[in-house]
Amino acid sequence: MERLKGKTAMVVGAGSIGPGWGNGKAAQETVDIITGEGGTAAAFTADVSRSVDVEAMVAACLQAYGRIDVLDNNVGIAEMGSVVEVTEAEWDRVFAVNLKSAFLAMKHVIPVMARQGGGSIINISSIASIRHLGLSYVSYGTSKAAMNQMTRTTAVEFASKHVRVNAILPGLMKTPMVEHSAGLASSYAAGDVEAMWRARDAQVPMGHMGDAWDVANAALFLASDESKYVTGLELIVDGGITVKAGS
């Protein structure tokens, strides 16, 4: 219960597209839950694809809490389409949200962590970065693959500063983002969300999708001192999809 006691975590992408537990959860709702359980939290609104906004967010966190021990880069959107189908504007938007946001957050947080003597950065990627999952969303998978490489190189470059950088690669998750993505529902089951859930469950060797708690528990390990000798890792949380024959 006290694995992060005394630490300050900045979660970038704590919002949610709808009700229910997503990988980020609705920001103010999360704040209320944390404060209701005796913790301290604050929400900050920013366009994390803009450096000035990210810099202001980091400054606000430091002013309120004095340090940043954990950075969780959790922003992500998906646009359907192959390289032939996706528009240039869609491609640029996905990369700005999924990749540039993580780059900017690390750019402004790593110097803080280095001055403190260390910290843990967790980038939320996807198994779409290492596998074709039968759906066409090339901009999403490519942006997450780039995130993986950014994680690896940054982990090496700042290991001597005791700044650890790891990635989590979730598999098929039952989250509000998936539920409210018309493109995903259309690709899976002609827009039928319940049929999409059944189809996604059937893809997983364990027989069911994961949920946000599965990702959160992996992030908790990487944020805590239990993983103090772990950096540059791509932690797959997918119920066995990526090791399934024919996947």
Side-chain angles (χ1 to χ4, degrees):
M1 291 293 294
E2 296 187 343
R3 294 158 74 186
L4 299 183
K5 184 176 181 179
K7 294 184 184 294
T8 297
M10 188 167 75
V11 180
V12 181
S16 180
I17 196 171
W21 286 94
N23 290 340
K25 194 71 174 86
Q28 188 56 50
E29 185 180 356
T30 301
V31 168
D32 293 341
I33 291 170
I34 293 170
T35 55
E37 294 184 358
T40 303
F44 189 89
T45 302
D47 178 349
V48 289
S49 68
R50 298 179 69 244
S51 184
V52 64
D53 279 24
V54 175
E55 191 171 11
M57 177 175 61
V58 171
C61 186
L62 290 175
Q63 183 175 5
Y65 303 107
R67 59 187 296 114
I68 301 174
D69 300 288
V70 179
L71 167 65
D72 187 313
N73 284 311
N74 188 61
V75 178
I77 58 172
E79 294 283 357
M80 306 306 297
S82 67
V83 291
V84 174
E85 297 161 333
V86 70
T87 68
E88 183 178 358
E90 289 169 338
W91 178 275
D92 289 345
R93 178 170 178 260
V94 168
F95 269 75
V97 174
N98 292 3
L99 186 63
K100 187 180 179 183
S101 64
F103 150 67
L104 289 174
M106 291 197 294
K107 179 181 183 65
H108 292 294
V109 168
I110 286 176
V112 174
M113 289 182 168
R115 289 195 300 269
Q116 294 172 177
S120 174
I121 296 174
I122 304 156
N123 293 323
I124 306 300
S125 181
S126 168
I127 62 169
S129 66
I130 59 172
R131 290 286 189 280
H132 178 60
L133 300 175
L135 296 176
S136 187
Y137 45 12
V138 66
S139 57
Y140 177 78
T142 306
S143 68
K144 294 298 189 179
M147 173 182 272
N148 295 350
Q149 180 62 9
M150 185 168 62
T151 298
R152 296 184 201 108
T153 57
T154 308
V156 173
E157 290 171 347
F158 292 94
S160 64
K161 303 292 186 183
H162 305 289
V163 176
R164 299 186 294 107
V165 189
N166 294 289
I168 297 175
L169 279 58
L172 300 181
M173 297 292 169
K174 191 171 185 179
T175 66
M177 188 188 86
V178 176
E179 181 177 1
H180 292 279
S181 172
L184 283 173
S186 177
S187 297
Y188 266 102
D192 185 333
V193 173
E194 291 304 318
M196 175 180 69
W197 292 147
R198 292 192 295 272
R200 285 166 68 90
D201 282 339
Q203 287 181 263
V204 185
M206 284 188 175
H208 60 86
M209 290 177 286
D211 61 31
W213 289 107
D214 297 310
V215 179
N217 286 325
L220 176 58
F221 166 69
L222 293 174
S224 74
D225 291 338
E226 295 162 19
S227 60
K228 63 184 176 62
Y229 200 55
V230 177
T231 196
L233 174 71
E234 293 165 25
L235 178 54
I236 296 172
V237 182
D238 74 348
I241 289 178
T242 53
V243 292
K244 180 177 71 173
S247 62

